[in-house]
Structures are given as C-alpha cells and as structure tokens.
Amino acid sequence: MKVALVVYVSLLFVAVGVVAARVIPYDRHHQDVLSPIGNGTVVFQEDFEEGNLNQWDVQACPQGVTISTTYARTGNHSAKFTVNDADTHAKCSAVPTENPRAQLVSKKDLFPNGVEYYIAVSVLFPPGFPQPTDWFQVVELYGPPFDGSPSMAIDLCHGNKLCFNRDASHNYDSIWISTPIVYGQWRDIVLHVKFSTDPNVGFVGVYDGGKQQTMSNGQALVHYQTLAKSNWDGQPNNLFLNQYRSSDSKLGTVTLYHDAVKVGTTLDAVMPPPKK
C-alpha cells in the first residue's frame, strides 16, 4: 500500500511539473529563448504592443520613430517613422549619415554566418505618400563593417513598387520587383535568407502576401554571397527597419509604418494572421 501511495504521489508531482512547464509564458525579450510556433520556431518578434522600443537601437532625430495607434497590422500599435529632409547627422547626432534617416536596429545579433531564417516585416505607406525619384530604403539586413550599400535591402523603386536590391558588387541590381503599392494598406513581406560567405550556399527568396515570388533569375531563390565585403567582418548581421532616403529627393516630411516583425525557422512561424 505504501509503495502504491509513493508511486501515485510521484506521478502526481511529475504531472504537475509538466503542466507548469507548459504554462510558462515565452519572454520574447529574452535573447536566448526560442519560441515554438506551430510548424517552426520564432527567434525574434516585435508587434510594438508593449508601447516601447526596448528591443531596438533608435537611430533617428527626436520623434523620428514613435509608437502609433493610427495603423496596426496586428494588435493596436505599430512603429511610425517620420523623416524630414533635414533629419541628417548634421542636425541629430543619433542619425549616422548625411542622408535623411530614421531607423530601428535590432539589439539582438540575429544573423551569423550559416543560419537560415524567414524574416517577416509588414510596412504601410499612408494615403498621400510621395513617389520617390531616387533611392528610398525601408528594410535592410546589414552588419559590420557597414562598407557601403547593403547586399540585402528592400527599397521603394519605380515610384510605387518594392524592390529587393543588392550592393555595388552586384551593380545595385534588383532581384525582385513587386506589384504596385496600395496606399493605406499593409504589405506583408517575408524574406527567406541563407546567410553565408559562400556564394554557392547563400541565397534569398521573397514572399509577398504569403505567396512565393519569382526572382529575377526565374527561380524561387537567387544564390549569392549574402555575407560579403560590405556587411561581413566576422560579426553577425542585424535587422534594420528604415525610412532612409537620398538627400537629393527633397520630399519634405514623410511618414510610413512598420509592424508584425518576426524572424523564424519556417514561413508558417513568421506569417502574420489574415488581414481583417
């Protein structure tokens, strides 16, 4: 009888431990924790619902990046990026360049050599948004030594489209060009990237609204050295959310929004829910 009681109590403690383990909430701010999400794992996420920018280094003039409730892809908040032509290093020491810029840089070093991730970002261009005639960057995957333009960036191009652009070693080419932007609506972009110093191993693919895109080579992926001279000195790359543009554009004050940021091991793990 005592043996049976001991076994019962032991099993009870095991069961309680299992239940307790299952209800421990995932702390998305803990850099060493991985979060299982369906078919895959999330290693970084930001929905701005906590009302702060604690996961990011802010490189902008005051009020250049703020939390907003005007638009939200998920929840009730997003990050609002507001940049004036004068928002350069000469005006604000936090801005690193002489071209107008406001950006968030992930504090977590996300992308060392050899990792493969899906990187989701939703961006909204509000009604009345101008059509730039020069370069205008909204997302980049970048790192030291920061030697020139990034080898992986999403830019506005052709006035009202999104492009995946590469650096000078690729003649600043576009390996993907989107259909026209719909102003006032969220655009859900997922990048599928293998970060590698080997041009036969590294690659980039793009999903737009959950649909896999055909790249400039007619395939789903473009293989190249994603960690190259411009963005690799042995240190991991980071995720940059931008409004970064040419000083020649003279656009005045321009606003755009970012939300629903996730980095994970599968497409299912990072895709935002269907739009309402």
Side-chain angles (χ1 to χ4, degrees):
M1 186 68 178
K2 289 183 178 180
V3 173
L5 180 61
V6 169
V7 171
Y8 174 78
V9 171
S10 299
L11 289 174
L12 179 61
F13 274 108
V14 170
V16 169
V18 170
V19 171
R22 287 180 178 173
V23 299
I24 294 174
Y26 167 62
D27 179 3
R28 71 168 177 268
H29 300 299
H30 194 297
Q31 295 191 357
D32 299 322
V33 176
L34 302 182
S35 175
I37 302 291
N39 181 25
T41 299
V42 171
V43 299
F44 178 85
Q45 62 180 336
E46 177 65 271
D47 55 17
F48 304 104
E49 291 304 300
E50 294 191 3
N52 61 58
L53 301 172
N54 292 347
Q55 295 197 93
W56 308 89
D57 288 322
V58 181
Q59 298 180 352
C61 287
Q63 301 304 305
V65 184
T66 57
I67 302 298
S68 174
T69 57
T70 303
Y71 296 98
R73 176 61 181 87
T74 58
N76 298 299
H77 300 81
S78 65
K80 178 181 179 181
F81 291 66
T82 303
V83 177
N84 182 268
D85 292 335
D87 290 350
T88 67
H89 183 72
K91 175 183 175 182
C92 306
S93 61
V95 177
T97 61
E98 297 309 317
N99 291 296
R101 181 196 304 233
Q103 67 184 19
L104 298 178
V105 183
S106 62
K107 291 181 179 178
K108 182 176 182 180
D109 293 329
L110 291 166
F111 310 125
N113 186 33
V115 299
E116 178 181 342
Y117 284 134
Y118 291 79
I119 302 147
V121 177
S122 295
V123 59
L124 182 144
F125 305 92
F129 192 89
Q131 293 194 5
T133 57
D134 209 331
W135 60 268
F136 191 117
Q137 187 171 285
V138 296
V139 177
E140 63 183 305
L141 310 176
Y142 203 32
F146 306 107
D147 185 16
S149 298
S151 65
M152 298 172 283
I154 299 176
D155 289 64
L156 281 169
C157 62
H158 306 290
N160 66 342
K161 296 181 180 181
L162 296 174
C163 291
F164 188 96
N165 288 340
R166 299 191 291 182
D167 58 6
S169 65
H170 298 94
N171 298 314
Y172 304 106
D173 64 349
S174 299
I175 59 174
W176 170 74
I177 301 175
S178 77
T179 56
I181 294 164
V182 179
Y183 299 106
Q185 294 187 17
W186 288 100
R187 195 69 175 253
D188 299 331
I189 302 297
V190 177
L191 304 178
H192 181 197
V193 181
K194 176 74 172 185
F195 294 84
S196 180
T197 58
D198 186 337
N200 297 311
V201 175
F203 63 73
V204 168
V206 178
Y207 292 79
D208 186 358
K211 297 180 180 179
Q212 189 170 51
Q213 301 295 288
T214 299
M215 307 298 281
S216 59
N217 62 354
Q219 306 297 317
L221 301 173
V222 174
H223 282 83
Y224 69 101
Q225 186 179 353
T226 50
L227 297 176
K229 177 183 177 181
S230 65
N231 65 322
W232 181 250
D233 66 358
Q235 301 181 65
N237 276 209
N238 298 81
L239 174 60
F240 289 62
L241 306 181
N242 313 97
Q243 186 190 152
Y244 177 34
R245 64 190 199 232
S246 169
S247 59
D248 296 330
S249 297
K250 307 304 180 188
L251 299 175
T253 300
V254 177
T255 297
L256 59 81
Y257 300 82
H258 284 285
D259 199 5
V261 180
K262 281 188 180 181
V263 178
T265 58
T266 65
L267 179 66
D268 288 344
V270 303
M271 275 297 297
K275 296 176 184 178
K276 296 179 181 179

